[in-house]
Structures are given as C-alpha cells and as structure tokens.
Amino acid sequence: MTMDGGGADDGRHETETERLDRNWASILQELRVAQTGVQLLTGFLLILPFQDRFAELSSYERGVYLATVFFSIAATVLLIAPVGFHRILFRRRKLRTIVSTAHRLELSGLVMLGLALTGVVMLIAGTVVNSVVGAVAGGCTAMAFAYFWIVLPLTYRRD
C-alpha cells in the first residue's frame, strides 16, 4: 500500500490518473471538515481581546492565548493552502504533486489545529479554575490528540 491510499494489490483496477483523482477528492472532503472548524476557532480567538474580561488575564494566560492564536492561524494557512496550490497548478498536469503536497500540508495543518485546541483547553480550564488545572487539562488534551490523530492511525497503518 502506498502513502496515498493505493497500491499494486489493493483490489482496485484504476489508472494512475483515476487513483490521483480519487485521492484528491478524498483530501478535499477531509479539508472541508477541518477548514470549517479551524476557521470558526480562529474567528472566535480573534475577538477575545476585545472582550472586557480579557484585561484580567495573567501574563501566563496571555502567553497561552497568543500561542493558541498563532497555532490557529498556522492551521488555517496550512489547511487552506492546498486550494491555492491546486488553483495555481490547475491544468498543468501536476496532479501527483498537488496530491502529495496537499497530503503534507493537511497533516501539518492538523498538528497545528491540535496544538491550537490544546491551547484553548488550557486557556479555558486555566481561566475557570487555575493555571495548574489548565496545564494538566492541556497536557491531557495534547496526549488525546497525539493518540487519536497519530499513534492509533499509525498502528493500523502497519497492518
């Protein structure tokens, strides 16, 4: 099995172009789900400094907030990048390049999204309870993302 979901013995009878088209369609479906979530998260984060209570955040909480915004913006850029990449290379017979690059951009974007969501959990738990609880909650969230988004899929990939 190859990285992009096709292999010599995968039971499909398709041309290289058909396989690339199928993989591109699959990536687009995944990006539609991720883009919506990351755009909503980024929008939410961008309005927080304009709330009255934001001034009450400690320096630590502001640092967590700023890191979270940066991760969210990075996730937004990486998860939308395949669209621009495709548009610029459209009709240039570069579908293999588009698919492989979009694959890497999407994985990188998901890592940034996981870090952004971890920061959100840290910020919320830290604000509601205290910074120690926020750090523990953030650590647990990061471990959950690492397990469900990386470790678990990789264990099935080896089969």
Side-chain angles (χ1 to χ4, degrees):
M1 168 108 40
T2 62
M3 173 183 71
D4 56 353
D9 202 16
D10 68 358
R12 296 181 191 265
H13 303 288
E14 57 190 2
T15 66
E16 173 77 3
T17 302
E18 289 169 335
R19 183 181 60 79
L20 289 170
D21 285 341
R22 177 177 51 81
N23 289 330
W24 177 241
S26 180
I27 287 171
L28 287 178
Q29 284 300 103
E30 294 165 2
L31 288 172
R32 283 184 185 106
V33 172
Q35 284 173 350
T36 302
V38 76
Q39 288 171 338
L40 288 170
L41 174 64
T42 301
F44 168 74
L45 288 169
L46 292 177
I47 64 168
L48 284 181
F50 303 101
Q51 305 302 312
D52 291 335
R53 190 151 179 235
F54 189 82
E56 298 172 20
L57 294 180
S58 69
S59 295
Y60 171 77
E61 291 167 328
R62 286 174 189 247
V64 170
Y65 167 77
L66 200 53
T68 301
V69 168
F70 290 151
F71 287 134
S72 187
I73 295 291
T76 302
V77 168
L78 290 166
L79 292 170
I80 295 176
V83 175
F85 199 82
H86 175 264
R87 184 53 29 212
I88 290 170
L89 295 179
F90 184 66
R91 295 189 181 175
R92 303 258 182 202
R93 300 177 192 256
K94 301 274 187 187
L95 189 55
R96 180 185 317 233
T97 301
I98 292 168
V99 168
S100 64
T101 302
H103 167 76
R104 289 190 300 276
L105 290 167
E106 184 177 359
L107 287 175
S108 299
L110 288 174
V111 169
M112 292 296 111
L113 178 57
L115 291 170
L117 291 171
T118 297
V120 167
V121 169
M122 286 179 67
L123 190 60
I124 291 171
T127 302
V128 172
V129 183
N130 63 45
S131 60
V132 172
V133 170
V136 169
C140 291
T141 302
M143 288 190 315
F145 281 123
Y147 179 75
F148 288 109
W149 288 11
I150 299 168
V151 174
L152 187 60
L154 285 175
T155 60
Y156 285 102
R157 187 174 176 167
R158 287 181 243 205
D159 293 344

mmCIF file of all heavy atoms in Angstrom, residues 6 13 27 54 71-72 74 77 85:
data_model
loop_
_atom_site.group_PDB
_atom_site.id
_atom_site.type_symbol
_atom_site.label_atom_id
_atom_site.label_comp_id
_atom_site.label_asym_id
_atom_site.label_seq_id
_atom_site.Cartn_x
_atom_site.Cartn_y
_atom_site.Cartn_z
ATOM 1 N N GLY A 6 -3.281 3.871 -2.343
ATOM 2 C CA GLY A 6 -3.374 2.961 -3.479
ATOM 3 C C GLY A 6 -2.151 2.096 -3.535
ATOM 4 O O GLY A 6 -1.077 2.486 -3.113
ATOM 5 N N HIS A 13 -8.953 -1.510 -9.636
ATOM 6 C CA HIS A 13 -8.445 -1.560 -11.007
ATOM 7 C C HIS A 13 -8.637 -0.179 -11.601
ATOM 8 O O HIS A 13 -9.665 0.111 -12.206
ATOM 9 C CB HIS A 13 -9.184 -2.638 -11.817
ATOM 10 C CG HIS A 13 -9.080 -3.990 -11.191
ATOM 11 N ND1 HIS A 13 -7.905 -4.710 -11.202
ATOM 12 C CD2 HIS A 13 -9.975 -4.741 -10.506
ATOM 13 C CE1 HIS A 13 -8.088 -5.855 -10.565
ATOM 14 N NE2 HIS A 13 -9.336 -5.896 -10.126
ATOM 15 N N ILE A 27 -8.962 14.028 -0.190
ATOM 16 C CA ILE A 27 -8.317 15.139 0.524
ATOM 17 C C ILE A 27 -9.271 16.331 0.630
ATOM 18 O O ILE A 27 -9.390 16.960 1.685
ATOM 19 C CB ILE A 27 -6.991 15.533 -0.163
ATOM 20 C CG1 ILE A 27 -5.928 14.477 0.108
ATOM 21 C CG2 ILE A 27 -6.509 16.915 0.286
ATOM 22 C CD1 ILE A 27 -4.649 14.641 -0.696
ATOM 23 N N PHE A 54 -10.906 40.210 29.104
ATOM 24 C CA PHE A 54 -9.584 39.848 28.597
ATOM 25 C C PHE A 54 -8.480 40.570 29.373
ATOM 26 O O PHE A 54 -7.402 40.010 29.597
ATOM 27 C CB PHE A 54 -9.469 40.160 27.101
ATOM 28 C CG PHE A 54 -8.227 39.614 26.470
ATOM 29 C CD1 PHE A 54 -8.166 38.292 26.057
ATOM 30 C CD2 PHE A 54 -7.104 40.410 26.285
ATOM 31 C CE1 PHE A 54 -7.020 37.765 25.473
ATOM 32 C CE2 PHE A 54 -5.957 39.905 25.708
ATOM 33 C CZ PHE A 54 -5.908 38.577 25.297
ATOM 34 N N PHE A 71 -1.001 29.201 16.580
ATOM 35 C CA PHE A 71 -1.262 27.834 16.104
ATOM 36 C C PHE A 71 -2.517 27.783 15.242
ATOM 37 O O PHE A 71 -2.563 27.092 14.221
ATOM 38 C CB PHE A 71 -1.397 26.856 17.277
ATOM 39 C CG PHE A 71 -0.104 26.542 17.970
ATOM 40 C CD1 PHE A 71 -0.034 26.549 19.358
ATOM 41 C CD2 PHE A 71 1.043 26.223 17.261
ATOM 42 C CE1 PHE A 71 1.149 26.245 20.019
ATOM 43 C CE2 PHE A 71 2.240 25.924 17.907
ATOM 44 C CZ PHE A 71 2.284 25.934 19.293
ATOM 45 N N SER A 72 -3.531 28.511 15.642
ATOM 46 C CA SER A 72 -4.788 28.518 14.886
ATOM 47 C C SER A 72 -4.617 29.168 13.515
ATOM 48 O O SER A 72 -5.134 28.668 12.509
ATOM 49 C CB SER A 72 -5.870 29.243 15.696
ATOM 50 O OG SER A 72 -7.112 29.137 15.073
ATOM 51 N N ALA A 74 -1.771 29.339 11.889
ATOM 52 C CA ALA A 74 -0.942 28.402 11.122
ATOM 53 C C ALA A 74 -1.801 27.263 10.571
ATOM 54 O O ALA A 74 -1.651 26.865 9.408
ATOM 55 C CB ALA A 74 0.187 27.848 11.991
ATOM 56 N N VAL A 77 -3.823 28.606 7.636
ATOM 57 C CA VAL A 77 -2.984 28.761 6.438
ATOM 58 C C VAL A 77 -2.708 27.397 5.800
ATOM 59 O O VAL A 77 -2.876 27.208 4.593
ATOM 60 C CB VAL A 77 -1.657 29.480 6.791
ATOM 61 C CG1 VAL A 77 -0.659 29.390 5.647
ATOM 62 C CG2 VAL A 77 -1.931 30.936 7.152
ATOM 63 N N PHE A 85 -2.778 26.106 -3.947
ATOM 64 C CA PHE A 85 -1.791 25.287 -4.645
ATOM 65 C C PHE A 85 -2.424 24.656 -5.887
ATOM 66 O O PHE A 85 -1.860 24.698 -6.983
ATOM 67 C CB PHE A 85 -1.295 24.209 -3.673
ATOM 68 C CG PHE A 85 0.012 23.590 -4.055
ATOM 69 C CD1 PHE A 85 1.206 24.213 -3.760
ATOM 70 C CD2 PHE A 85 0.043 22.371 -4.699
ATOM 71 C CE1 PHE A 85 2.413 23.644 -4.099
ATOM 72 C CE2 PHE A 85 1.242 21.786 -5.052
ATOM 73 C CZ PHE A 85 2.440 22.423 -4.753
#
